[in-house]
Amino acid sequence: PLVIEGVVIGDFQKSSFNGFYVEEEDAQQDSDPSTSEGIFVYQGSSEVEVSAGDVVRVKGTVFEFEELTEITGPIEVQVCSQKAVVTPKVLEMPISDPATLERFEGMLVKIEQPLTITGNYDLARYGSLDLSIGGRLYEPTQVAPKGEPALAAQRSNAARRILLDDGDGRQNPKPVPFKSAENTRRVGDR
C-alpha cells in the first residue's frame, strides 16, 4: 500500500465515479512540469466524506484503470485539515501531442483562452459539451478537399477540441449542466 497526502480538488463521491481527486499542495509540488501532481481516489466501500479544500491522507494501492492512474482499495481516508487551496495550472491549446496532457492528469486546470461550443449532442444525455479554441470546428471535408488537406484539418480539429464533462457518468442528468441564462447551450456560443 501507498500513503499520500493532498488537497481534495474534485468531489465525485455521490456520482457514478465513486471517488475524489487529490492534488499535491502548492508548496509541496515537485519542479518537474512533465509529471502530474494529481490522482483519483476510488472510494469503494469507504464512507469517509470529503469536500473540496480538505487536506486528506489516503492509504491504498496504485492502479491503472482505463488509462487513469488511481488509488484503489481497500483504502483508508483521514481528513487532516480544511480550507486548503491549490492553484490551477494553465492549459494552453491547441494540444499538438495528446501525450502532453498526461502531466495534467487528475489536476485542477484552467483554460484562459476563449472557448466555443462546437458540439452539444451529448449535453442532455450525458452532461458533456465539445468545446474548441479558435471558433467552431467543422467536418474536415467541409473546409478542405479530400486527402491530405482534409487530414490536416482533422489534426487541427483534434488539437483545438476539448470535452467538458459534468463528472457524473449517469445518463440523462437532472438538471442538465452548463446551461446558459437562456436555459440552453447552442453550438457557436462562447
Side-chain angles (χ1 to χ4, degrees), residues 12 16 27-28 118 129 188:
F12 299 96
S16 61
Q28 296 183 7
T118 201
L129 284 170

Side-chain angles (χ1 to χ4, degrees), residues 17-93:
F17 291 175
N18 192 21
F20 52 94
Y21 285 91
V22 175
E23 186 171 337
E24 188 70 77
E25 296 170 88
D26 287 351
Q28 296 183 7
Q29 292 187 3
D30 66 34
S31 59
D32 185 351
S34 66
T35 61
S36 172
E37 298 291 337
I39 193 162
F40 183 73
V41 176
Y42 178 71
Q43 194 163 9
S45 61
S46 171
E47 295 184 13
V48 175
E49 290 290 322
V50 301
S51 298
D54 287 352
V55 176
V56 295
R57 187 170 295 119
V58 178
K59 180 179 180 182
T61 304
V62 176
F63 183 72
E64 199 73 20
F65 179 74
E66 295 183 8
E67 299 183 27
L68 172 72
T69 305
E70 65 180 39
I71 295 181
T72 190
I75 66 166
E76 296 174 24
V77 179
Q78 175 187 0
V79 177
C80 304
S81 64
Q82 298 171 322
K83 298 184 181 175
V85 177
V86 171
T87 305
K89 302 299 179 268
V90 176
L91 176 61
E92 301 255 344
M93 295 179 68

Side-chain angles (χ1 to χ4, degrees), residues 115-184:
L115 295 167
T116 301
I117 297 174
T118 201
N120 61 4
Y121 183 80
D122 287 332
L123 180 58
R125 181 78 166 148
Y126 297 108
S128 64
L129 284 170
D130 287 313
L131 305 175
S132 60
I133 63 157
R136 183 177 171 193
L137 303 180
Y138 293 91
E139 288 298 318
T141 52
Q142 284 183 280
V143 296
K146 290 188 327 183
E148 185 50 42
L151 292 172
Q154 182 177 2
R155 287 188 296 273
S156 174
N157 281 356
R160 295 172 41 217
R161 172 181 279 144
I162 193 161
L163 180 72
L164 175 64
D165 192 294
D166 67 351
D168 190 340
R170 293 178 286 196
Q171 293 184 13
N172 307 315
K174 300 278 188 257
V176 174
F178 313 125
K179 285 189 173 180
S180 67
E182 292 79 34
N183 202 32
T184 188

